Amino acid sequence: MIRALDPILDRWRLTALLASAGMLAIAHGFQTFGELAPCTLCLRQREVYWVAAGVALAGMILTRLQGGARFRPAFNLVLGLIFLVGTAVAVYHAGAEWKWWPGPSACASSGGAVSLDAMSGLLAGQAITAPACDTAPWVFAGLSMAGWNAAISLILAALSLAAAAYERGKR
């Protein structure tokens, strides 16, 4: 194991909580400041980070209780599984964007971001279209947000599993 990672692995639940909060903040930043409305799969990817944050927080609290330290590897393993689910959702989303497979029928290509004008129209009784899951509204270095999320989720999963092994090795 790489010694430089020891401080991160030793406090993995806190690191996972901060990473999840950071990813959620970035997603909300793109939505708020970049005016990129999330599609159904984008929201599913966010749910994974909310679950991971909750599990990480519960792990931080429960492992501080008397006898709770023995559950550190289990919490890290569960976080690894959660981040692997996040990786799968993000890969599915990225694949739908690249047209490798169809995305969910609930969010096929039919429009762009939901604007304030569209929301006003909705209040006036007009129909609006939700953002499409099979169109990447933002790409950097050849990867869409879903692609970057897949890579980051995979790294977080690997670090979670490394943290579980690290904790088991401390016994």
Side-chain angles (χ1 to χ4, degrees):
M1 194 73 52
I2 302 170
R3 290 280 175 215
L5 291 178
D6 285 358
I8 293 170
L9 299 179
D10 194 42
R11 292 173 179 76
W12 182 248
R13 288 152 313 281
L14 174 61
T15 305
L17 175 65
L18 294 174
S20 295
M23 291 298 286
L24 288 166
I26 290 167
H28 288 290
F30 272 103
Q31 181 179 342
T32 303
F33 304 113
E35 297 181 358
L36 298 175
C39 69
T40 302
L41 289 175
C42 293
L43 295 174
R44 292 290 171 260
Q45 290 171 89
R46 291 181 193 185
E47 289 172 0
V48 172
Y49 288 112
W50 282 110
V51 170
V55 169
L57 183 60
M60 288 171 57
I61 293 168
L62 293 175
T63 58
R64 295 280 185 208
L65 299 175
Q66 184 176 5
R70 70 178 185 259
F71 296 114
R72 287 175 146 199
F75 274 105
N76 294 342
L77 182 62
V78 169
L79 285 167
L81 295 174
I82 292 167
F83 289 128
L84 282 175
V85 168
T87 302
V89 173
V91 165
Y92 173 64
H93 190 183
E97 290 174 338
W98 283 96
K99 313 291 190 262
W100 292 341
W101 46 73
S105 60
C107 61
S109 274
S110 60
V114 179
S115 66
L116 191 55
D117 291 334
M119 293 302 288
S120 298
L122 178 65
L123 293 174
Q126 297 173 348
I128 61 169
T129 55
C133 295
D134 60 356
T135 303
W138 181 88
V139 176
F140 176 73
L143 289 178
S144 65
M145 283 187 276
W148 283 107
N149 187 26
I152 292 167
S153 292
L154 186 60
I155 290 167
L156 292 172
L159 287 171
S160 295
L161 299 176
Y166 174 82
E167 289 292 344
R168 291 200 53 82
K170 287 185 353 184
R171 290 182 175 179

